[in-house]
Amino acid sequence: MYAEIIIPLALPKNYTWSVPPLLSQAAQPGVRVEVELGKNKRYAGIVKRLHDQPPVGFETKDILNVLDNQPIVFPEQLKLWEWISSYYMCSEGEVMAAALPAHFKLSSETLLVLNEEFGDDFSSLDNEEFLVAEALLLKKELAIAEVQQVLDESHVYPVIKRLVEKKLCFIWESLKESYKPKKESFIRLNPAYEDEEKLEFLLNNWGRAAKQLELLLGWIHLSKAEGEVSKAALLKKSGASDAQLKGLIEKGILISEKKDVDRLKYLPRNILIDFELSAAQETALLQVNRLLQERPVCLLHGITSSGKTQVYIRMMEAMARTGKQTLYLLPEIALTSQIIRRLEKHFGGYIGIYHSKFNQNERIEIWNRVRSGELKIVLGARSALFLPFSDLGLVIVDEEHDSSYKQQEPAPRYHARDAAIYYASQLQAKVLLGSATPSLESYFNALNGKYGLVGLHERFGGVHLPEIELVDTQKDNAKNKSKTIVTESLKQDITATLSREKQVILFQNRRGYSPYQICQVCGWIPHCHDCDVTLTFHKKTNKLHCHYCGRLYPLVYRCQACGSDKFVQKNFGTEKIEEQLEELFPDAKIARMDIDSVRGKHSHDTLIQQFEKRRIDILVGTQMVVKGLDFENVHLVGILDADSILSFADFRVNERAFQLMEQVSGRAGRKDMRGKVVIQAFNTRHPLLKLVQQHDYLSFYQQEIDSRKRFFYPPFSRLILLTFKHKSKEIADAASRRFAEMLSPLYGQYLLGPAEPVVNRLRNQYLMELSLKLPKDGGLGARCKKDILEKIAILHSDKRFRSVVIIPDVDR
């Protein structure tokens, strides 16, 4: 028997190993197996399929070990991995690396193993080699960390290399299981005292140890209230010490035992829906359910604050009551903390949460609970799509338009919304897409009958959409002779809002203090050494940051071009806004929400809860503050620099700008009174701003779809972007041109480029881009992807281009 096995590497195809007779019963699709690749490198791979066809052209190695008693992934997941690999032009190993928690992939530990044939004559060895050889003679094998301890230094590789060359030892890779269940001590009563009469006699005839008696009474009380009694809970309840508890254990009255416990605490399981839907929500729910019987996917186009989440809750309730699971996808981790509190109130311990802020041990425990069907509702960011659902009935993709659903780096560069639709089709589950500003592709599919379409066009509670005011920053700029952060008009609105004890959200899509500084004499601007981008000044660290590679630089006080010390800081980020607001509104409580201020595991949640409890008056932030968060006391929202949102060099710029501004405006006036949005812009005559001001999604969609059709952009075509990376600009340029020449005879009419991207150097690698705009023909797309992969192999066969990295990105 042979096994096709996926290992977490970017290999062009899966390899085949033979299954020894001893392991034939244990080996099955979806289990992890230990395999050897190359001379002695070991990996934990996943069995994709078993067959009896020996591979042609090479001898197979045996599987070394089966690591699981039952599959950790289901066949539908393996099909999803295969589809993502095929559609997004990556390897199944890369998908596996993204899908599985790290502890499932195991860590390969390098061992030094003694060569017994060498003997014990170490006279030819130097001092360092002798020390390692003696240790090996005693232990037979040593890990790298142990060699470091023996030599008392970290740089041990030269010594190991010399010992291997002298054939005293050889290198071996061993797999190490890194997941360990969390154990906790529990206290139970000795069975000898379980009889009530014996326990009563014991208590009535207690000696002098009053604190031990108090401890025992505490145990009796806790055991009746909670069943199992943990050691920590008992000591806290009784106020006793560890030594006093030890005394009771030594007397044989109580027994201590260790048990596996969950790292994450779950509420009791119950379903409690304590709200009624409005008439509009009820109608929308009925329409969604009817359309999902006819089609696998439905789009719910509900304006901001229309109560889409309550419709989702009703649908999740229906699934949970029939025993089926629901996957609720959100684009940002920041959103999960607020929504999880709402959902826990309704579903208790039936609900779990999964995203990258959890540590690897916690992720494995959630994985196992989902696989067993214990968790009925899973809330998570895009990685939650890879969980092993045993009985998935519904996938909800909230804020389906959000660009965060598209993975950028590293591979697989998949779109979670589209992958969710494929995965649901494998499991015969339904998909509900929800958004106030649907993506053009989804709305196009809905209007053309591919998806169902349901509208929810009134705000919950009859609250009107916010009034939107456009403020021209040219006037303020002329007065201040610099770029205005808060215009006089916005300042007055903030003052009025704070006087009514309402809250304010201010949005700026740039973090840091100042996006760049420029020499006033010659115009020189500090750039990153490794990337072709300007450096951003961060006042908190007092350093210049590159937002692409993360490198930090000291502040520049003298121009490297002309020697002048006259620098001026241009534009503004969230740090600078926060500082100016503290000057303008000294009595207001101000906070900032961006990637720099919410790095910790619970930082998002802490900040959001503080804002909900009105401990913050003004919240300044990047996109994090606009994505679906629900704050009922926010009256005013300010967009401080609309021009920066409208000026990206991308065919989706208008779509993303409209979505972003409409989503930001949706945070205002969600409860009891009409809110207000102030949009500051230099070019107030931009046609998109009028559409935002009127909340007119349909007119925006019509204008944008006409433009996309005219220039043959998605949804009328499929885009494949090829990026060529190399440390030499000339080689990157030559490789991209050679590749274009190879593709031109087949797909010349669909080719664009090659050309330099806007940022043409990242991490000291020069970039060139080549695009293909293909008609929406599945056969042509599949053929083109196959040809691209073949041409990549041909290009890499040329010695000059062997080190050029080529990254395909489908549906960019």
Side-chain angles (χ1 to χ4, degrees), residues 756-812:
E756 283 187 1
V758 176
V759 178
N760 74 337
R761 186 167 59 98
L762 287 176
R763 295 180 178 87
N764 226 11
Q765 297 274 308
Y766 288 92
L767 311 180
M768 289 293 289
E769 288 182 346
L770 186 65
S771 292
L772 287 112
K773 281 201 286 190
L774 300 168
K776 292 189 82 171
D777 173 344
L780 177 67
R783 251 189 343 270
C784 181
K785 288 172 188 174
K786 187 181 174 189
D787 288 334
I788 288 170
L789 294 174
E790 281 180 7
K791 304 300 182 208
I792 289 174
I794 293 167
L795 189 77
H796 281 156
S797 67
D798 185 327
K799 192 176 179 182
R800 189 184 175 205
F801 301 128
R802 196 165 292 159
S803 56
V804 175
V805 176
I806 303 170
I807 300 169
D809 191 354
V810 180
D811 295 345
R812 178 64 179 266

Side-chain angles (χ1 to χ4, degrees), residues 20 24 49 61 64 149 220 279 318 341 347 385 414 417 437 467 551 562 610 627 676 706 721 757 783 802:
S24 60
R49 68 185 184 97
K61 291 182 178 181
L64 301 173
Q149 285 175 345
I220 293 167
R341 291 196 295 277
F347 299 106
L385 176 69
Y414 68 102
R417 177 197 62 213
T437 52
E467 166 203 352
R551 190 168 167 181
C562 70
Q610 285 180 332
K627 295 183 177 181
K676 184 174 183 181
D706 290 346
L721 179 71
R783 251 189 343 270
R802 196 165 292 159

Side-chain angles (χ1 to χ4, degrees), residues 18 53 100 232 269 282 289 466 497 525 555 587 701 705 799:
S18 48
Q53 299 299 313
L100 291 186
R269 295 185 191 185
E282 195 69 60
N289 285 329
T497 303
I525 300 171
L555 285 182
D587 299 327
Y701 169 80
I705 206 77
K799 192 176 179 182

Side-chain angles (χ1 to χ4, degrees), residues 51 165 478 670 726:
H51 58 90
E165 285 168 352
R670 295 175 73 91
H726 197 270

Side-chain angles (χ1 to χ4, degrees), residues 355-616:
H355 55 62
S356 58
K357 293 275 182 179
F358 285 118
N359 68 43
Q360 297 300 336
N361 286 322
E362 289 168 340
R363 287 200 222 183
I364 283 193
E365 289 177 7
I366 297 164
W367 182 283
N368 290 332
R369 277 175 165 261
V370 173
R371 189 183 56 169
S372 67
E374 220 174 310
L375 289 177
K376 294 300 176 197
I377 299 164
V378 178
L379 177 71
R382 61 174 180 256
S383 58
L385 176 69
F386 294 113
L387 288 167
F389 291 93
S390 58
D391 193 8
L392 187 66
L394 176 67
V395 180
I396 296 167
V397 185
D398 198 12
E399 310 295 347
E400 67 82 29
H401 65 276
D402 201 291
S403 58
S404 299
Y405 280 124
K406 181 76 164 76
Q407 164 88 354
Q408 302 296 340
E409 287 291 337
R413 293 170 183 82
Y414 68 102
H415 198 298
R417 177 197 62 213
D418 300 341
I421 291 170
Y422 176 82
Y423 189 30
S425 72
Q426 290 292 309
L427 298 164
Q428 279 78 53
K430 301 295 184 182
V431 180
L432 178 62
L433 310 176
S435 176
T437 52
S439 63
L440 259 75
E441 287 89 341
S442 293
Y443 205 72
F444 179 80
N445 285 334
L447 290 181
N448 285 282
K450 187 176 178 182
Y451 303 164
L453 177 61
V454 176
L456 190 53
H457 300 305
E458 62 180 61
R459 281 189 144 191
F460 187 76
V463 179
H464 290 290
L465 284 165
E467 166 203 352
I468 296 182
E469 180 187 338
L470 298 178
V471 175
D472 189 343
T473 55
Q474 286 188 66
K475 296 170 187 172
D476 283 77
N477 289 355
K479 283 181 197 170
N480 302 331
K481 296 184 180 175
S482 65
K483 190 150 187 173
T484 303
I485 297 179
V486 178
T487 58
E488 192 58 39
S489 172
L490 179 56
K491 183 182 170 185
Q492 289 170 12
D493 284 326
I494 293 172
T495 305
T497 303
L498 296 178
S499 68
R500 291 198 296 270
E501 296 187 344
K502 295 289 183 183
Q503 291 169 296
V504 179
I505 289 178
L506 297 178
F507 167 74
Q508 167 67 345
N509 214 20
R510 283 197 178 101
R511 60 192 174 96
Y513 188 83
S514 174
Y516 64 96
Q517 57 186 75
I518 184 168
C519 172
Q520 283 186 296
V521 176
C522 70
W524 178 80
I525 300 171
H527 276 65
C528 175
H529 296 165
D530 298 331
C531 309
D532 187 26
V533 290
T534 57
L535 295 170
T536 300
F537 170 52
H538 283 242
K539 198 163 189 177
K540 188 178 178 183
T541 59
N542 204 35
K543 282 189 165 44
L544 298 173
H545 291 225
C546 174
H547 285 175
Y548 283 80
C549 68
R551 190 168 167 181
L552 304 184
Y553 296 83
L555 285 182
V556 177
Y557 297 104
R558 193 166 291 283
C559 175
Q560 290 181 13
C562 70
S564 164
D565 59 359
K566 291 181 173 62
F567 278 98
V568 63
Q569 290 174 342
K570 289 285 187 181
N571 221 315
F572 52 89
T574 48
E575 269 189 354
K576 192 170 185 177
I577 299 162
E578 185 183 22
E579 182 183 272
Q580 190 176 97
L581 289 169
E582 283 166 355
E583 291 173 14
L584 294 173
F585 307 100
D587 299 327
K589 295 183 282 292
I590 298 159
R592 176 165 53 88
M593 188 177 183
D594 57 30
I595 200 167
D596 302 310
S597 64
V598 289
R599 289 190 181 275
K601 183 174 178 179
H602 301 293
S603 307
H604 289 105
D605 197 22
T606 304
L607 189 56
I608 287 166
Q609 285 196 57
Q610 285 180 332
F611 196 63
E612 283 177 331
K613 291 170 183 172
R614 306 187 188 185
R615 292 177 187 162
I616 297 167

Side-chain angles (χ1 to χ4, degrees), residues 129-245:
E129 292 165 1
F130 181 79
L131 286 171
V132 177
E134 269 202 321
L136 269 172
L137 196 62
L138 289 169
K139 286 194 73 177
K140 306 305 180 196
E141 59 181 49
L142 292 172
I144 296 293
E146 291 173 311
V147 178
Q148 288 171 340
Q149 285 175 345
V150 167
L151 296 177
D152 199 25
E153 59 179 283
S154 57
H155 301 293
V156 296
Y157 292 99
V159 180
I160 291 170
K161 187 170 182 284
R162 294 199 301 270
L163 288 172
V164 170
E165 285 168 352
K166 289 176 180 178
K167 295 189 169 54
L168 183 137
C169 62
F170 55 89
I171 300 289
W172 187 254
E173 294 287 331
S174 97
L175 284 185
K176 185 176 70 177
E177 181 75 76
S178 31
Y179 169 70
K180 287 184 175 59
K182 183 181 178 183
K183 292 191 179 289
E184 204 171 298
S185 293
F186 284 84
I187 308 298
R188 63 183 177 89
L189 192 65
N190 190 321
Y193 296 103
E194 283 177 0
D195 181 74
E196 280 191 25
E197 288 181 10
K198 288 183 180 176
L199 183 59
E200 193 177 330
F201 180 79
L202 177 71
L203 294 170
N204 290 334
N205 294 279
W206 197 267
R208 290 182 183 177
K211 201 66 187 173
Q212 287 186 355
L213 176 61
E214 196 178 323
L215 212 156
L216 182 57
L217 290 171
W219 181 90
I220 293 167
H221 181 266
L222 276 175
S223 67
K224 285 179 178 172
E226 297 177 15
E228 287 191 316
V229 180
S230 72
K231 179 181 172 181
L234 178 58
L235 293 177
K236 187 178 177 184
K237 167 85 176 167
S238 60
S241 69
D242 214 3
Q244 288 158 341
L245 176 60

Side-chain angles (χ1 to χ4, degrees), residues 113-120 136-137 140 167-168 170:
V113 180
L114 180 69
N115 179 8
E116 303 281 1
E117 293 176 8
F118 187 89
D120 56 4
L136 269 172
L137 196 62
K140 306 305 180 196
K167 295 189 169 54
L168 183 137
F170 55 89

